């Protein structure tokens, strides 16, 4: 009887996990990777430093913060987090800024997406010009054929 219950429970978990990956993001989702911060203090850009951005791999990103004049903002303390709004969970890692690159650029290491779908990435900034935050949306798609072929 216990083996039967374990099997049924296992099938239920697989079905539930499969159902989660089928969620569609909102049709009007803003996927721009340059955005104005919530209080309008900064323009913030993000870009991955690898291509493609695969699931279950650590990858670095670059964050650039500029003020209203377009000048890079140095000396910003950045806290980063994110997650999947439709699934109710955060990132599987704790990404952090590891290097200030100058001209308002910062290297963010430790980003990892554990599954395909819609992810939010939140940048919280503490700076002399004021504290602010910005949220980016990204869609992580299924691995490319090239990656699948390499796994064989």
């Amino acid at each position: 009887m216990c083996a039967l219950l374990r099997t049924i429970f296992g099938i239920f978990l697989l079905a539930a996990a499969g159902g989660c990956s089928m969620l569609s993001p909102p049709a009007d989702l803003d996927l721009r990777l340059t955005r104005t911060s919530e209080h309008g203090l900064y323009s913030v850009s993000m870009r991955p430093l690898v291509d493609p951005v695969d699931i279950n791999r650590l990858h670095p990103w670059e964050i650039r913060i500029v003020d209203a004049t377009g000048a890079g903002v140095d000396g910003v303390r950045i806290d980063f987090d994110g997650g999947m709004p439709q699934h109710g969970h955060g990132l599987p890692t704790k990404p952090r800024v590891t290097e200030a690159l100058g001209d308002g650029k910062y290297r963010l290491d430790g980003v990892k997406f554990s599954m395909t779908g819609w992810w939010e990435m939140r940048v919280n900034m503490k700076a002399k010009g004021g504290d602010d935050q910005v949220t980016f949306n990204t869609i992580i798609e299924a691995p490319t054929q090239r990656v699948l072929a390499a796994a064989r």
Side-chain angles (χ1 to χ4, degrees), residues 33-46:
L33 289 178
T34 298
R35 301 180 59 98
T36 302
S37 59
E38 288 183 20
H39 300 296
L41 298 177
Y42 310 107
S43 176
V44 183
S45 300
M46 287 191 67

Side-chain angles (χ1 to χ4, degrees), residues 4 18 23 34 56-57 60 62 73 76 88 92 98-99 102 104 106 113 119 131 134 151:
L4 177 61
L23 295 174
T34 298
N56 293 318
R57 297 190 89 147
E62 182 182 273
V73 181
V76 179
T98 58
E99 185 177 3
Y106 301 85
F113 302 110
W119 289 85
D131 298 351
V134 64

Side-chain angles (χ1 to χ4, degrees), residues 1-144:
M1 183 59 128
C2 283
L4 177 61
L5 287 176
R6 280 194 299 266
T7 301
I8 292 170
F9 184 71
I11 291 170
F12 173 78
L13 285 177
L14 285 173
C20 286
S21 64
M22 297 301 188
L23 295 174
S24 295
D28 61 346
L29 195 61
D30 186 346
L31 298 174
R32 290 176 298 143
L33 289 178
T34 298
R35 301 180 59 98
T36 302
S37 59
E38 288 183 20
H39 300 296
L41 298 177
Y42 310 107
S43 176
V44 183
S45 300
M46 287 191 67
R47 69 181 185 94
L49 295 177
V50 297
D51 184 28
V53 174
D54 290 324
I55 61 170
N56 293 318
R57 297 190 89 147
L58 291 173
H59 40 86
W61 287 66
E62 182 182 273
I63 298 171
R64 180 149 196 257
I65 303 168
V66 299
D67 63 17
T69 69
V73 181
D74 292 327
V76 179
R77 187 177 132 227
I78 298 172
D79 292 317
F80 182 88
D81 68 353
M84 296 190 86
Q86 293 177 310
H87 295 210
H89 64 78
L91 290 164
T93 58
K94 295 198 182 295
R96 63 184 182 87
V97 170
T98 58
E99 185 177 3
L101 304 170
D103 193 30
K105 295 178 185 175
Y106 301 85
R107 182 183 170 102
L108 178 72
D109 281 305
V111 179
K112 179 180 175 183
F113 302 110
S114 56
M115 60 191 304
T116 59
W118 168 30
W119 289 85
E120 284 185 340
M121 300 181 292
R122 293 179 291 276
V123 179
N124 299 296
M125 300 160 282
K126 292 189 183 301
K128 287 182 183 176
D131 298 351
D132 213 341
Q133 58 275 334
V134 64
T135 300
F136 295 94
N137 297 295
T138 192
I139 305 292
I140 302 301
E141 297 179 344
T144 63

